[in-house]
Amino acid sequence: MSNYVLSNETRDKLMGVATPTIATALFRRGLRNQFLQDVRPLSPKKANMVGQAFTLRYIPAREDLNTLEVFRNPEHPQRAAVEQCPPGFVLVMDSRKDARAASAGSILISRLQVRGVAGVVTDGGFRDSPEIAALDIPSYHHRPSAPTNLTLHQAIEINGPIGCGDVAVFPGDVLVGDNEGVIVIPAHLADEIATETVEMTAYEDFVTEEVLNGATIIGLYPATSDAPKQKFAEWRKQKGR
């Protein structure tokens, strides 16, 4: 697990930036595959999901080892992950992009919410998805799935490297989720990405306002002269940003 600790300052910065902006900042650093594929929010939220990754890995179920009785064991990896994921972290599940059986249901995700977990993500599906969508905790999956996880998934490991939505996720990486999806920031880049994307967001807001007022994007996005930069500086002063 990474030794990185997400600061309140960096968390607050990332709460105000969109996943496309983060994707561009990561692309500048050669990271092209950080946005989780086919993973979507269950319901729109007013604020971003931001937190470090705490992971759970599933493998294909083997029937003799995956009976309902396993849930009586408090050390069962799925149950243990729900109780061990630290407050402020995001529980990320590798379900092998298989939504034919659920990764978790509303009771477990309600428990995560009460424990102060920042969000929950799977590249599979959730059961009880209408109830989960109504919770405050940000939740992301591929699609609804009623069958219990035991049908196809065997929880096998907590807090090791996983793949989720075709993206490598290491424990301690920083996940940001918005109403578009989820992106993974390598832990060692989180602070600089946060600072850079706050600046990018301000410029993008300025450009959007200019374009809606009739400006051309040529020379403005990206800025190719000092004129738009000077106008942006005046705009920031006016807006208090």
Side-chain angles (χ1 to χ4, degrees):
M1 184 170 177
S2 168
N3 292 324
Y4 174 79
V5 176
L6 179 66
S7 68
N8 289 334
E9 180 182 4
T10 293
R11 184 188 298 272
D12 288 346
K13 288 177 180 177
L14 291 172
M15 290 291 289
V17 299
T19 54
T21 304
I22 295 170
T24 299
L26 291 169
F27 178 79
R28 287 195 181 111
R29 292 161 174 81
L31 294 165
R32 300 166 182 254
N33 184 45
Q34 300 302 118
F35 186 76
L36 303 190
Q37 298 300 309
D38 299 319
V39 172
R40 307 173 183 92
L42 274 75
S43 61
K45 302 298 183 189
K46 294 181 179 178
N48 282 359
M49 174 190 76
V50 180
Q52 292 184 258
F54 185 89
T55 65
L56 171 64
R57 182 169 65 92
Y58 287 107
I59 62 172
R62 205 179 80 181
E63 289 79 0
D64 61 328
L65 300 176
N66 232 39
T67 67
L68 283 172
E69 294 301 312
V70 301
F71 285 153
R72 296 181 181 275
N73 180 3
E75 296 182 1
H76 181 268
Q78 186 207 48
R79 266 42 182 181
V82 169
E83 294 296 333
Q84 293 177 22
C85 182
F89 277 60
V90 174
L91 178 60
V92 191
M93 290 177 271
D94 173 1
S95 296
R96 307 178 340 274
K97 299 185 71 176
D98 191 341
R100 291 177 297 159
S103 303
S106 62
I107 292 175
L108 299 189
I109 294 176
S110 295
R111 176 60 177 160
L112 291 169
Q113 176 176 293
V114 169
R115 294 191 56 251
V117 171
V120 57
V121 179
T122 180
D123 59 2
F126 289 130
R127 67 197 312 201
D128 316 314
S129 58
E131 290 80 4
I132 295 170
L135 294 172
D136 292 333
I137 185 172
S139 303
Y140 296 80
H141 72 169
H142 176 50
R143 61 172 171 81
S145 185
T148 175
N149 68 303
L150 299 173
T151 308
L152 289 170
H153 305 310
Q154 183 167 329
I156 201 72
E157 182 184 23
I158 294 174
N159 228 25
I162 62 169
C164 185
D166 292 328
V167 178
V169 182
F170 292 85
D173 282 349
V174 176
L175 276 74
V176 179
D178 59 13
N179 291 330
E180 193 150 20
V182 179
I183 197 161
V184 180
I185 306 173
H188 69 282
L189 293 175
D191 294 344
E192 64 182 80
I193 291 289
T195 298
E196 181 177 315
T197 53
V198 165
E199 296 299 308
M200 290 172 65
T201 298
Y203 189 72
E204 288 167 355
D205 290 347
F206 161 72
V207 167
T208 298
E209 191 172 304
E210 289 290 293
V211 169
L212 289 174
N213 287 330
T216 176
I217 60 170
I218 305 303
L220 176 65
Y221 187 68
T224 56
S225 69
D226 289 336
K229 296 175 183 177
Q230 291 170 357
K231 194 169 185 179
F232 172 54
E234 294 169 3
W235 178 89
R236 292 193 79 167
K237 189 178 295 183
Q238 180 184 3
K239 300 287 187 180
R241 296 180 64 178

